[in-house]
Amino acid sequence: MKALKSRVVEPRTGLPIVAGLSDQARAFQRAGKAKSTQRAYLSDAGQFATWCTEHGFDPMPASPLVVLEFLSHEATRGSKASTIARRLAAIRYAHKLAGERDPTDDEGLREGLRGIRREIGTRPKQKAAATADILAALLMRTPDTLTGQRDRALLALGFAGAFRRSELVALDVADLVQDPDGLRVLVRRSKTDQEGQGVEKAIPHGRFIRPVALLREWLDEARITEGPVFRPVNKAGRVEARRLGVKTVERVMKHYCAAAGLDASTFGAHSLRAGYITTAAERGADLARIMDQSGHRDPRTVVGYIRRANAFKGHSGSGFL
């Protein structure tokens, strides 16, 4: 069998394909990455290819010095350390797909990257946590309309399950199983479960947020019995058949934060997840049980939330400051 050795760069993307591979083979090759990662890499590789073209460089194969110049350009125009790291990963991924030498495996480049990280800093800008008290304030601002009912269910369930927004909008009615103590929700695929083994989250009825009741009210009023749980409501007040987009979760969150008089710019879709973890930590919940609900695999991430939540509890200086 003749070896596959040719490669071309896909137009407008910058990601390479190996000539001779079938569409299905390429699809499986790309499926090794999450769809969100694929989208980010396509964008990053495309930006790198565009920059190279503008400056007279060849993006494939690229030299370590060209990659460092590109990353330096990104740093000087204000890109965050996390964004630069993702750009680097996309370039590495593109070259591996093309069967080319990895230009990021270079000590000079690594030294330059360390300098960039030292100069711009690596501390992430974290969104504010929408704790139980904040969530209650948001729920009070939702109107008594079909859209308001959807938003109440979206916010309450997103908080109660410590869901990522992608997990939340991916839910189908078939993923919901009633239980005497609440609701069992099947997350079929997540950031930490790309192969789709699935994980079940328990959502209690609750006495204050009442996520199960709010979800049931939305489904009943919207007459949703199958398919996507969360859907758009058009201007005529009719529920559409399609699934709600992930960006809508962010918009809903910011809308009600502004309505509650909060600085909406400090909140995002992740605030619901962070809010659950923070509230659970404040109430003394066990680390393992918090991780059961959030789906975190690395306890260090959750410990960070716990430390912030309990920063003043049992403070070493509380007895003499």
Side-chain angles (χ1 to χ4, degrees), residues 13-212:
T13 67
L15 281 183
I17 58 176
V18 177
L21 279 181
S22 67
D23 290 342
Q24 185 61 69
R26 288 200 298 269
F28 281 134
Q29 187 181 53
R30 298 269 170 79
K33 300 289 184 184
K35 291 188 181 299
S36 58
T37 302
Q38 291 181 46
R39 289 192 294 268
Y41 279 10
L42 282 170
S43 174
D44 293 334
Q47 291 188 49
F48 176 61
T50 299
W51 181 88
C52 285
T53 300
E54 291 174 351
H55 291 81
F57 298 120
D58 187 355
M60 183 65 64
S63 73
L65 290 179
V66 168
V67 176
L68 180 56
E69 285 289 352
F70 171 68
L71 298 182
S72 299
H73 163 77
E74 289 292 297
T76 55
R77 77 185 187 93
S79 294
K80 296 184 295 185
S82 59
T83 301
I84 292 174
R86 197 190 65 226
R87 300 262 200 269
L88 185 70
I91 295 169
R92 180 188 303 117
Y93 179 60
H95 280 74
K96 287 184 176 180
L97 281 185
E100 298 286 358
R101 177 181 176 276
D102 177 10
T104 70
D105 185 18
D106 177 82
E107 185 55 39
L109 174 59
R110 284 192 286 268
E111 187 65 23
L113 185 61
R114 282 192 287 268
I116 290 173
R117 290 166 62 87
R118 186 175 295 112
E119 284 294 318
I120 66 178
T122 58
R123 181 177 178 83
K125 293 182 179 179
Q126 295 177 326
K127 292 296 184 181
T131 58
D133 292 338
I134 292 177
L135 182 65
L138 302 188
L139 294 176
M140 290 174 61
R141 269 69 181 183
T142 55
D144 289 325
T145 61
L146 197 55
T147 299
Q149 286 182 312
R150 182 205 64 194
D151 294 346
R152 280 198 291 271
L154 186 74
L155 293 171
L157 186 64
F159 175 85
F163 286 107
R164 298 178 177 88
R165 60 180 178 176
S166 58
E167 298 169 352
L168 197 56
V169 300
L171 292 176
D172 288 334
V173 174
D175 300 326
L176 311 177
V177 178
Q178 295 292 332
D179 186 277
D181 294 319
L183 189 69
R184 296 179 183 272
V185 180
L186 175 62
V187 179
R188 296 185 181 276
R189 192 180 298 272
S190 69
K191 181 179 178 181
T192 55
D193 177 26
Q194 294 298 328
E195 295 184 1
Q197 294 181 0
V199 64
E200 188 178 79
K201 294 192 177 188
I203 309 297
H205 287 295
R207 292 182 297 161
F208 306 105
I209 303 301
R210 300 172 50 250
V212 178

